[in-house]
Amino acid sequence: MKMGSHFRFLSLCLLALVASTHAQLQFGFYAKSCPKAEQIILKFVHEHIHNAPSLAAALIRMHFHDCFVRGCDGSVLLNSTTNQAEKNAPPNLTVRGFDFIDRIKSLVEAECPGVVSCADILTLAARDTIVATGGPFWKVPTGRRDGVVSILEEARNNIPAPFDNITTLQTLFANQGLDLKDLVLLSGAHTIGVAHCSSLSNRLFNFTGKGDQDPSLDSEYAENLKTFKCNDINKLNTTKIEMDPGSRKTFDLGYYRQVIKRRGLFESDAALLNNAVTKAQIIELLEGSVENFFGEFASSIEKMGRIKVKTGTEGEIRKHCAFVNS
């Protein structure tokens, strides 16, 4: 065998080895193994989302929290007999929609047992609920496998918190291969849904430990929240407030308008104004169209959906999303 041919042969073998050990996500992954899978998920979403439209915000949050811990592997869905799983961590105590995912999983399992991962179901359902409530569409490549490990401390350490500053946010996003632009765009999901008063109680009542208010929060808005919304100190964990007042059910640019007016609910929202790059990106988004925002958001969330995915022979295909198979 000539040297050139031998080298090409070795190169082809190496490429084949890499391909076999590092399978990739692909569009229509279940086209042959479970051709109705994506249709089943979409049908269930359309049948039920209008009875509970707030689930769109809940599921996109669940998808975000899942991907930031061990990648997008459905580990946020796992239960723990000792309450030490991701879903038991403080950032996930207000996450909801687990039953919604379980119901979809049971339908898909009835059609194709042991074929479609919970990780893919969560990713597809998050997209479909957002679209069903008027939000952007993004492409979802599939082929994710389910993780078998879920650890409370990892969720506590990796999921961005509402009180994080811009440096911490940049670091947490960079750890997942996401940049400042992704931070701004994915924060845009706050345009829908609600938060609990407990998430911003420090900003309103005890910012520096002296019974004061966060000066970065618009004073008129803060006074309104304290007077009419978060006015019962005993109900801060249960009282809900709109993250984008007036249009919390509409996926639009309203969130960014609130942030620019210093009316973002969280310290992490306000932090976006403390960096020249993120502030400029917000201004640019507001100067553009909603359609432009939709396109930019779609790119970032598809990128997020690829974080450290398990493919090929990694992980497993769970029979039940809350439990590992063994």
Side-chain angles (χ1 to χ4, degrees), residues 15-25 311-314:
L15 286 172
L17 177 63
V18 170
S20 66
T21 55
H22 294 280
Q24 299 295 315
L25 299 182
T311 56
T313 58
E314 298 175 292

Side-chain angles (χ1 to χ4, degrees), residues 155-169:
R156 189 198 300 270
N157 295 335
N158 289 290
I159 296 172
F163 49 78
D164 282 342
N165 60 32
I166 190 65
T167 303
T168 301
L169 291 170

Side-chain angles (χ1 to χ4, degrees), residues 150-307:
S150 186
I151 301 172
L152 184 154
E153 280 303 314
E154 292 183 349
R156 189 198 300 270
N157 295 335
N158 289 290
I159 296 172
F163 49 78
D164 282 342
N165 60 32
I166 190 65
T167 303
T168 301
L169 291 170
Q170 184 173 7
T171 298
L172 291 174
F173 271 68
N175 288 344
Q176 308 300 335
L178 301 173
D179 57 26
L180 287 173
K181 184 175 183 180
D182 297 313
L183 167 60
V184 171
L185 288 164
L186 294 172
S187 295
H190 287 174
T191 190
I192 57 172
V194 296
H196 291 87
C197 284
S198 55
S199 298
L200 66 149
S201 57
N202 277 357
R203 296 192 80 192
L204 295 176
F205 303 110
N206 199 28
F207 188 60
T208 65
K210 299 178 181 179
D212 55 347
Q213 181 177 294
D214 183 355
S216 71
L217 182 62
D218 177 74
S219 57
E220 182 180 340
Y221 185 48
E223 197 57 41
N224 178 281
L225 289 172
K226 288 194 290 187
T227 304
F228 301 106
K229 301 290 185 179
C230 304
N231 54 356
D232 189 337
I233 199 74
N234 296 313
K235 295 183 179 180
L236 296 180
N237 288 321
T238 55
T239 303
K240 298 176 181 178
I241 45 178
E242 297 179 352
M243 300 188 72
D244 180 10
S247 67
R248 73 174 178 87
K249 295 181 180 179
T250 307
F251 210 103
D252 57 19
L253 292 163
Y255 163 76
Y256 298 115
R257 296 190 190 99
Q258 297 295 329
V259 171
I260 283 294
K261 291 190 293 186
R262 298 192 300 119
R263 293 187 172 191
L265 285 183
F266 302 147
E267 290 173 62
S268 58
D269 296 324
L272 299 179
L273 299 180
N274 295 332
N275 177 281
V277 173
T278 52
K279 184 176 181 180
Q281 287 172 343
I282 290 174
I283 292 171
E284 184 178 339
L285 284 168
L286 287 172
E287 290 174 346
S289 64
V290 172
E291 290 75 20
N292 175 68
F293 167 49
F294 276 21
E296 296 273 20
F297 180 86
S299 296
S300 275
I301 198 162
E302 184 186 334
K303 179 180 176 182
M304 186 192 81
R306 296 175 181 269
I307 293 174

Side-chain angles (χ1 to χ4, degrees), residues 65-66 69-71 73-89 92 98 146-156 158-159 310 316 318 321-324:
H65 284 205
D66 181 45
V69 185
R70 293 183 170 264
D73 67 347
S75 53
V76 72
L77 303 170
L78 285 170
N79 287 348
S80 165
T81 55
T82 57
N83 294 324
Q84 293 299 308
E86 290 172 35
K87 64 167 58 173
N88 304 116
N92 289 325
F98 296 108
D146 294 322
V148 295
V149 176
S150 186
I151 301 172
L152 184 154
E153 280 303 314
E154 292 183 349
R156 189 198 300 270
N158 289 290
I159 296 172
K310 293 171 176 61
E316 63 182 16
R318 282 187 229 136
C321 290
F323 308 98
V324 295

